[in-house]
Amino acid sequence: MESRSERHRRKSRKQFYKKWWFWLVIVLFIFIFFKSVSSTKDTGPDIFLDLDKSSATLNKKIEANIFFQTNKGNKYKVLDLSNNEQIMSAKTKSGYEGLTFSKAGKYRLTVSRNGIKKSKHITIKPRKMDIDDLLADTDTDSSDETNNTSDSTNSGVSKEYKAALNKAQSYSDDMDMSKQGIYDQLTSEYGEQFPADAAQYAIDNLKADYNANALKKAKSYQDDQDMSTEGIRDQLVSEYGEQFTQDEANYAIAHLNDE
């Protein structure tokens, strides 16, 4: 016959799940498990950021392109270090993205995800004059000396004013820039560095079709960067982009698909 003590021990072994310490162990295990899962989810993969190059020079279109690689879905932003203004902000679509700059200067690219950030510095250099530019300037100067009847080249206009106007005309004819974009490039410390009065004279006397310039820019965004219509419109009017007027941008969008 089974003794009372043996029955008690057998009953205790069968009912161990009723012990308080058993459930404490279960609760602690569940807490640690979900904490681990949550931590893994929040942190995600390590962020990486690679640039194809850390500096570029503005081309004849007053553009410079930098490409970078990072994790797909990361957020990124570009800061103009000269004034601490954010000029670009988006979310990566493919993990291989391109940035287009239209002004010389120093910038910082930052990618982030779940509070983790990585940054790289980018330098955009002003456009260097090539032999064609030098020849064009020489031809223009020769024309100025022989054409004394032109209002824009009479003896009452300083050489600096003439130079600013010539440069502004080249920006309009060769780079399809907006009025504000040309003025900024003429006066920029990273650009032509003309005084404000010379730049304003150039803008006031410049013969330019800004609607046509906006349309050419829009087509380049459509053909070269596969941008959407609204994306193109935003880039055309953005103070960090082309700086065309709303009417000029509307004209460009309306005629974007004309043959």
Side-chain angles (χ1 to χ4, degrees):
M1 180 179 294
E2 189 179 48
S3 67
R4 179 180 298 178
S5 62
E6 289 174 341
R7 287 197 303 270
H8 178 72
R9 284 196 300 272
R10 180 168 52 80
K11 185 176 182 181
S12 297
R13 285 196 298 270
K14 290 182 179 180
Q15 297 181 352
F16 73 92
Y17 59 86
K18 292 184 178 181
K19 303 295 184 179
W20 65 269
W21 53 265
F22 173 79
W23 291 108
L24 178 60
V25 170
I26 295 298
V27 170
L28 287 174
F29 176 82
I30 294 173
F31 175 80
I32 293 172
F33 175 78
F34 281 101
K35 186 71 174 177
S36 175
V37 172
S38 176
S39 176
T40 302
K41 182 178 180 180
D42 291 342
T43 302
D46 290 338
I47 287 182
F48 74 95
L49 174 59
D50 292 323
L51 298 175
D52 68 330
K53 53 189 174 183
S54 60
S55 65
T57 302
L58 294 172
N59 58 27
K60 288 187 176 182
K61 292 184 177 180
I62 312 300
E63 292 179 353
N65 296 310
I66 296 285
F67 292 88
F68 70 94
Q69 276 188 293
T70 188
N71 311 72
K72 182 179 179 180
N74 285 351
K75 295 179 180 179
Y76 70 89
K77 63 181 180 180
V78 178
L79 189 72
D80 185 341
L81 296 178
S82 65
N83 51 22
N84 285 324
E85 288 188 2
Q86 181 175 299
I87 63 171
M88 300 180 200
S89 179
K91 189 174 183 180
T92 58
K93 297 179 180 179
S94 65
Y96 186 72
E97 310 291 330
L99 305 172
T100 299
F101 298 86
S102 59
K103 186 177 73 172
K106 294 184 179 296
Y107 302 87
R108 183 170 67 234
L109 167 65
T110 300
V111 298
S112 61
R113 189 169 191 169
N114 297 324
I116 301 175
K117 298 180 179 179
K118 284 198 175 181
S119 299
K120 296 278 188 179
H121 285 83
I122 296 171
T123 301
I124 303 300
K125 302 175 184 178
R127 181 188 171 218
K128 296 180 180 178
M129 294 184 67
D130 54 26
I131 188 63
D132 291 336
D133 295 323
L134 295 173
L135 291 174
D137 287 345
T138 301
D139 292 341
T140 302
D141 290 342
S142 299
S143 176
D144 290 343
E145 291 176 0
T146 58
N147 185 10
N148 294 323
T149 61
S150 173
D151 292 338
S152 62
T153 59
N154 60 47
S155 58
V157 179
S158 72
K159 288 186 176 181
E160 187 162 50
Y161 277 36
K162 295 176 186 177
L165 177 56
N166 291 334
K167 186 59 67 174
Q169 194 69 57
S170 71
Y171 282 132
S172 176
D173 295 344
D174 301 335
M175 295 86 169
D176 308 315
M177 293 179 66
S178 66
K179 178 187 290 188
Q180 188 62 48
I182 294 172
Y183 179 87
D184 289 349
Q185 190 66 24
L186 290 176
T187 57
S188 171
E189 62 178 310
Y190 301 109
E192 303 301 335
Q193 303 184 57
F194 283 105
D197 54 348
Q200 191 59 55
Y201 170 85
I203 293 298
D204 292 343
N205 291 275
L206 177 62
K207 295 179 180 179
D209 185 342
Y210 294 112
N211 281 339
N213 288 358
L215 178 56
K216 291 177 183 177
K217 278 292 184 183
K219 286 185 177 293
S220 71
Y221 281 123
Q222 183 184 59
D223 296 340
D224 301 337
Q225 300 188 36
D226 301 317
M227 292 178 63
S228 67
T229 301
E230 287 308 310
I232 293 172
R233 189 196 303 273
D234 289 344
Q235 186 67 20
L236 289 178
V237 300
S238 171
E239 63 178 310
Y240 305 118
E242 304 300 338
Q243 303 185 80
F244 285 101
T245 66
Q246 191 66 58
D247 287 342
E248 290 160 357
N250 290 340
Y251 173 89
I253 296 301
H255 295 81
L256 187 57
N257 296 314
D258 292 354
E259 295 184 0

